[in-house]
Each structure stands twice: as C-alpha cells, then as structure tokens.
Amino acid sequence: GQQLNQSPQSMFIQEGEDVSMNCTSSSIFNTWLWYKQDPGEGPVLLIALYKAGELTSNGRLTAQFGITRKDSFLNISASIPSDVGIYFCAGRGAQKLVFGQGTRLTINP
Amino acid sequence: NAGVTQTPKFQVLKTGQSMTLQCAQDMNHEYMSWYRQDPGMGLRLIHYSVGAGITDQGEVPNGYNVSRSTTEDFPLRLLSAAPSQTSVYFCASRRGQGGNGYTFGSGTRLTVV
C-alpha cells in the first residue's frame, strides 16, 4: 500500500522557536493535507494544498506542496504553548487519505 | 452543527465479543471513512464509503465490517474482537466533489481483554 514517511517523529523545542517537519511518499498525491491532533481528540485540518509548488499560510503555519507531488513540509514560526500536539501529514489520491506516522511536538516554556 | 459524532467514547470488550462502533455526520457529506490509530503508526484506513450503498476496503480491513445504508451513518462492526484490535478508532467524513480534508470525530478508545 501507499506509504508516507514523516519526520521527525518527535521534537522538543523552546517556546518562540521555529519548527519544521516534512513528509515524503513513494506515490504521487493530488492533495496534501496537514492535521493537528490534541490529546483525546480527533485530528483537525490545518492546511490543504492542491497544486504542485503551492505555498500556503495559515497564521504562523506555512506549508508547501512539493514540485514532484511526492512531498510536503510544514513550518510553524514563533512557537507557543498551544502548538503542542501531534502533527500529521496526509496525502489524498482519488478517494482515500493516507497518513504519515505523525510528529509529536513538545514545547518547553 | 454537531459535525461527526462517534459513540461510545470508551469500550472494553472480552475476546470473542462483537460490537458496533457508531458514527453519524450531519453535514450531508458523501465520503466517510474509518481509521484506527496505534502508537507510532499514524492513522490507518480500515474501510471507506463514497456514498450510500457503496463501501470499500482500506489498508487494514480484516476483522471489521461496515455498511452505509444512509448518507448520515457509517457503523463499524467488530465480529469477534481480538486483543490486536485494541486501538483508538476515528470516523471521518468529507464532501465529495471539491471537498477539502476530512472532518474527524473525537474517537472511540477500544480495549479488548
């Protein structure tokens, strides 16, 4: 089946630092999505990317859809305590959504 | 607008028991899916549906059945629970044409002993 490799698996940073995580795939996707999951909750959509090369921002979050359509990255600038959680990339083909393993972000105040 | 509602939130089963995890959405979404989440493995697709009366298998379908008799509901059945099915289960839905990412429910934490 399709595989997404997300890295890093975990990050421990200081409040105010910038964060970068990425996702690579062996398959081409039509859409890349980035989700955040808080403890005890389902994932919530942060950013959706629809076109190769697309760069999209949502507040302090910026994500890009790779030119090859096989990768994507997410940056978070000036991290704050509420950014703590697990971040998932997801690639969408015709009907199915495939998820990466997640990046667990921990922030030291 | 309730979004995607999953029940129950928590469940403990004995090996061999059967049960149904309920999922309902009130957004008139065509696509619905079931995922399981295990530590270090992200979310893996169990079954999905692109509309009422249509279902298909995902990545890890064994031991699970689904049906989609209405647009709103997409129940997941465990026929004979096994400890390997201990997991957190998420239901999700999205619009068909032009839909963005899936909207997720808050999950069902299942323990099989």
Side-chain angles (χ1 to χ4, degrees), chain A residues 35 37 42 50 88 92 97 99, chain B residues 35 37 90 99-102 105:
Chain A
Y35 284 85
Q37 185 179 29
Y50 300 104
F88 290 99
R92 196 175 88 195
L97 200 59
F99 281 83
Chain B
Y35 290 86
Q37 184 175 28
F90 288 99
N100 280 343
Y102 278 88

Side-chain angles (χ1 to χ4, degrees), chain B residues 25-108:
Chain B
Q25 53 90 10
D26 60 359
M27 298 172 283
N28 203 30
H29 284 175
E30 293 157 288
Y31 288 19
M32 296 186 75
S33 298
W34 275 103
Y35 290 86
R36 60 177 288 173
Q37 184 175 28
D38 301 296
M41 300 190 75
L43 290 97
R44 292 182 292 168
L45 182 64
I46 305 171
H47 285 285
Y48 67 101
S49 168
V50 299
I54 306 168
T55 64
D56 207 344
Q57 295 182 349
E59 184 185 350
V60 288
N62 292 340
Y64 307 95
N65 275 358
V66 292
S67 59
R68 185 95 181 271
S69 55
T70 67
T71 299
E72 294 77 21
D73 300 299
F74 192 41
L76 178 73
R77 295 183 192 83
L78 281 73
L79 305 174
S80 177
S84 61
Q85 293 179 303
T86 294
S87 188
V88 182
Y89 292 85
F90 288 99
C91 178
S93 73
R94 74 170 177 94
R95 281 193 295 128
Q97 287 288 346
N100 280 343
Y102 278 88
T103 299
F104 281 80
S106 56
T108 295

Side-chain angles (χ1 to χ4, degrees), chain A residues 22-101:
Chain A
N22 68 79
C23 216
T24 59
S25 169
S26 56
S27 305
I28 288 174
F29 288 107
N30 300 325
T31 301
W32 280 94
L33 304 162
W34 285 92
Y35 284 85
K36 180 181 180 236
Q37 185 179 29
D38 291 323
E41 299 294 329
V44 173
L45 182 66
L46 298 174
I47 292 181
L49 302 157
Y50 300 104
K51 208 163 57 171
E54 180 181 353
L55 184 71
T56 296
S57 293
N58 178 8
R60 293 177 296 106
L61 278 61
T62 302
Q64 185 156 30
F65 191 146
I67 287 290
T68 65
R69 295 168 64 193
K70 293 184 177 181
D71 63 318
S72 178
F73 73 75
L74 175 71
N75 286 344
I76 305 172
S77 62
S79 59
I80 60 177
S82 62
D83 290 334
V84 165
I86 304 176
Y87 292 80
F88 290 99
C89 62
R92 196 175 88 195
Q95 294 164 345
K96 294 188 269 188
L97 200 59
V98 179
F99 281 83
Q101 305 96 319

